Amino acid sequence: MSIDWNAYPSEGFYDELVAGNGHRAIAGLLADLEALGPEELVARQEAADVSIKEMGITFTVYSEEGGAIDRTWPFDIIPRIIAQSEWERVDAGLRQRVQALNLFIDDLYHDQKVIKDGVFPAEVLAKSVNFRPQCVGVDPPLGIWAHICGSDLVRDADGTLYVLEDNLRVPSGVSYMLENRLVTKRVLPELFEHYAPLPVDDYPSELFDTLAALSPRPADYPAVVVLTPGIYNSAYFEHSYLAQQMGCELVEGRDLFVDKDDCVYMRTVDGLARVDVVYRRIDDLFLDPEAFLPDSALGVPGLMRAWKAGNVALANAPGAGVADDKVVYAFVPELIRYYLDADPIIPNVPTYRCMEPDALAYTLENMERLVVKPANESGGYGMLVGPASTKAEREHFAELIKKDPRNYISQPALKLSTVPTIIGKKLEPRHVDLRPFILSADRQQVTMGGLTRVAMRKGSLVVNSSQGGGSKDTWIVPEPPQAEE
């Protein structure tokens, strides 16, 4: 039995594989999948599931009872293809965006010219839960605060790519991007060889070079550690994976201490070893009990002292999360124009800032057609998807918005693009987003593609793994040469 793409239920959404068949590589993949047939694709999917279990690729979810459950990583073998010609524009847009955000963060912790010039409202900063007064006046290495950023991209019904949000605190997911590629090579070797998607496996070395560039001591191989909250963290697999791939030590807070010289040391079986760079996967407030939450057992007492003294580099820098705020997101186009004197290459999703009276009125009047988001929730939690909501839910959200308009934005409910996904024993469209990763230090690097996340439940727009989402390998492919006649 073959695949009949004419009968494929795209359901009025922009399907990237079916609608994108004007690109020769995409058209070729449609034909190759059809040639394999549904039975063989299901068999390959089952092989991928076994491979993921054997490789120990997991993530952690937390139950309502408070327990942690390790689950195998949900992965669909049908790749997502993006043309290299389109990706070059995305790459430039992401570099532009992160450059502006780093200038913005540095400005907020120094002269705050962006506020004095009337581009960014003081009241937004005043109510920011991620602004850290402890960081005011600090000059991090190279003036960079967000060294690792994961920006989420979505494609609308007309094929336009938008930035949905920027993750600047402790962005996760890159290890799954790397593992997805390894699994795809195993189960679809002939397709992989034929289309030759551009590589992603250089990310660990690029990450190490980014971190090494921040070292306060000149050395060919600075001492870099990955600081994890421990085995019960939902992203622990990624912490251990990246440490292993970079050849770095994976440490917990108790493995480090700050001595009287305000330098950071690691306890080893051979004695103390100086640490130059900490890639921290711990939130700000738990990082240093001397500076933030005094009862934190996850952090390192005195770590902020060492950072301020210039004796250790922290990535991402404490306080970078001030720009990881959905209300700040709504100002990013203005920030790009202000700091870089350029128009944004990749647009934001149209956004209404509820702190503004007209936007507040529009949001309250049109909640059944909008997605309403609080400023600092993540993982798909705490938001209202208007078209799927009840009247009671909309009334509840209306009260929340009226109490604190600054804490909310609203956006039109986009018709997110879909990609064919194996559901049971057939192909069905499922909504996707994309999280590329941008590294910034002495130079910028953007991953060749990123982590495509999939809303595995029919009709769902929520792609987060904690809420039933899955993932796909993302192929950036050049336009193949036309055959000679």
Side-chain angles (χ1 to χ4, degrees):
M1 183 173 66
S2 64
I3 299 170
D4 181 5
W5 290 111
N6 291 323
Y8 176 74
S10 57
E11 301 173 353
F13 295 98
Y14 182 93
D15 191 274
E16 297 190 12
L17 197 55
V18 176
N21 62 9
H23 187 279
R24 287 194 295 279
I26 294 177
L29 182 60
L30 284 172
D32 287 339
L33 293 175
E34 185 174 350
L36 282 172
E39 292 88 353
E40 181 62 21
L41 286 175
V42 169
R44 304 279 184 107
Q45 179 66 57
E46 291 171 351
D49 295 340
V50 170
S51 181
I52 286 170
K53 288 181 181 179
E54 290 177 345
M55 295 167 72
I57 307 173
T58 64
F59 71 103
T60 305
V61 295
Y62 298 96
S63 66
E64 292 181 359
E65 292 77 24
I69 305 169
D70 266 354
R71 293 182 177 170
T72 54
W73 180 246
F75 172 69
D76 182 79
I77 65 169
I78 307 298
R80 179 189 197 174
I81 285 187
I82 299 174
Q84 184 181 7
S85 56
E86 180 181 25
W87 190 252
E88 289 171 353
R89 174 180 166 274
V90 172
D91 180 290
L94 293 172
R95 293 170 189 260
Q96 176 197 58
R97 192 174 184 93
V98 173
Q99 181 185 3
L101 287 169
N102 270 305
L103 291 169
F104 170 66
I105 298 167
D106 196 61
D107 189 9
L108 290 186
Y109 288 113
H110 289 86
D111 297 332
Q112 299 189 353
K113 292 180 180 177
V114 70
I115 293 176
K116 295 171 184 174
D117 290 341
V119 177
F120 186 76
E123 65 180 287
V124 175
L125 181 62
K127 293 188 177 181
S128 170
V129 300
N130 293 309
F131 180 77
R132 307 292 177 221
Q134 299 90 334
C135 299
V136 171
V138 177
D139 294 308
L142 306 174
I144 304 296
W145 294 77
H147 311 94
I148 302 99
C149 173
S151 292
D152 294 342
L153 307 179
V154 293
R155 196 187 295 274
D156 199 7
D158 62 358
T160 301
L161 270 176
Y162 295 95
V163 178
L164 183 65
E165 64 179 51
D166 303 291
N167 299 280
L168 300 161
R169 284 175 284 184
V170 192
S172 63
V174 75
S175 62
Y176 301 112
M177 174 193 78
L178 299 170
E179 293 284 26
N180 286 353
R181 177 59 53 88
L182 294 176
V183 175
T184 304
K185 286 181 179 179
R186 286 189 180 190
V187 300
L188 292 173
E190 68 275 41
L191 295 185
F192 192 89
E193 182 177 356
H194 178 69
Y195 292 99
L198 297 175
V200 296
D201 55 5
D202 59 347
Y203 180 83
S205 61
E206 294 287 359
L207 175 60
F208 181 83
D209 289 346
T210 296
L211 298 172
L214 308 175
S215 175
R217 296 189 300 170
D220 292 334
Y221 201 85
V224 178
V225 299
V226 179
L227 177 60
T228 176
I231 61 173
Y232 297 109
N233 184 267
S234 61
Y236 181 75
F237 169 83
E238 177 158 300
H239 306 165
S240 58
Y241 179 88
L242 291 176
Q244 186 269 333
Q245 291 292 309
M246 289 192 292
C248 299
E249 295 292 341
L250 179 68
V251 299
E252 297 183 23
R254 60 192 174 185
D255 299 318
L256 305 177
F257 81 99
V258 178
D259 211 343
K260 294 179 181 178
D261 59 358
D262 286 344
C263 293
V264 180
Y265 294 89
M266 174 173 52
R267 297 180 174 93
T268 76
V269 293
D270 296 321
L272 300 179
R274 171 93 181 261
V275 172
D276 298 307
V277 183
V278 178
Y279 177 27
R280 54 103 177 190
R281 299 299 296 258
I282 294 177
D283 289 339
D284 286 356
L285 295 180
F286 300 95
L287 198 55
D288 180 353
E290 286 186 6
F292 300 114
L293 294 177
D295 58 349
S296 171
L298 300 176
V300 183
L303 189 59
M304 287 291 288
R305 276 192 288 112
W307 177 60
K308 290 181 177 181
N311 294 329
V312 71
L314 301 179
N316 283 348
V322 68
D324 189 340
D325 176 311
K326 292 177 178 62
V327 177
V328 172
Y329 159 90
F331 286 92
V332 172
E334 290 101 312
L335 298 179
I336 291 172
R337 296 184 185 98
Y338 177 73
Y339 289 108
L340 303 180
D341 192 24
D343 289 328
I345 297 172
I346 311 175
N348 270 18
V349 176
T351 303
Y352 301 97
R353 303 184 284 234
C354 293
M355 57 182 287
E356 298 171 358
D358 290 346
L360 174 61
Y362 180 83
T363 299
L364 294 174
E365 291 170 6
N366 295 276
M367 291 183 68
E368 71 281 358
R369 299 192 289 116
L370 299 171
V371 176
V372 183
K373 301 177 181 179
N376 293 289
E377 291 286 348
S378 60
Y381 294 102
M383 66 181 187
L384 176 82
V385 181
S389 65
T390 65
K391 183 179 179 181
E393 289 170 337
R394 293 193 294 273
E395 290 175 349
H396 172 66
F397 254 79
E399 291 303 315
L400 294 176
I401 296 169
K402 291 175 185 176
K403 286 180 182 177
D404 188 6
R406 182 268 181 236
N407 194 48
Y408 290 90
I409 62 167
S410 66
Q411 298 169 328
L414 300 182
K415 299 181 71 174
L416 298 189
S417 63
T418 61
V419 176
T421 303
I422 297 175
I423 305 296
K425 295 187 180 298
K426 59 183 179 178
L427 290 177
E428 295 183 3
R430 289 295 185 267
H431 297 290
V432 294
D433 79 351
L434 178 64
R435 177 174 291 182
F437 295 86
I438 308 96
L439 301 176
S440 302
D442 54 340
R443 58 195 176 99
Q444 285 184 305
Q445 291 290 317
V446 180
T447 52
M448 195 61 67
L451 177 65
T452 287
R453 302 184 298 176
V454 188
M456 299 299 287
R457 296 170 184 161
K458 186 174 183 178
S460 173
L461 300 176
V462 180
V463 300
N464 307 84
S465 57
S466 59
Q467 298 198 54
S471 68
K472 288 177 174 287
D473 194 11
T474 310
W475 291 5
I476 306 301
V477 295
E479 182 80 20
Q482 285 185 309
E484 294 184 8
E485 298 181 358

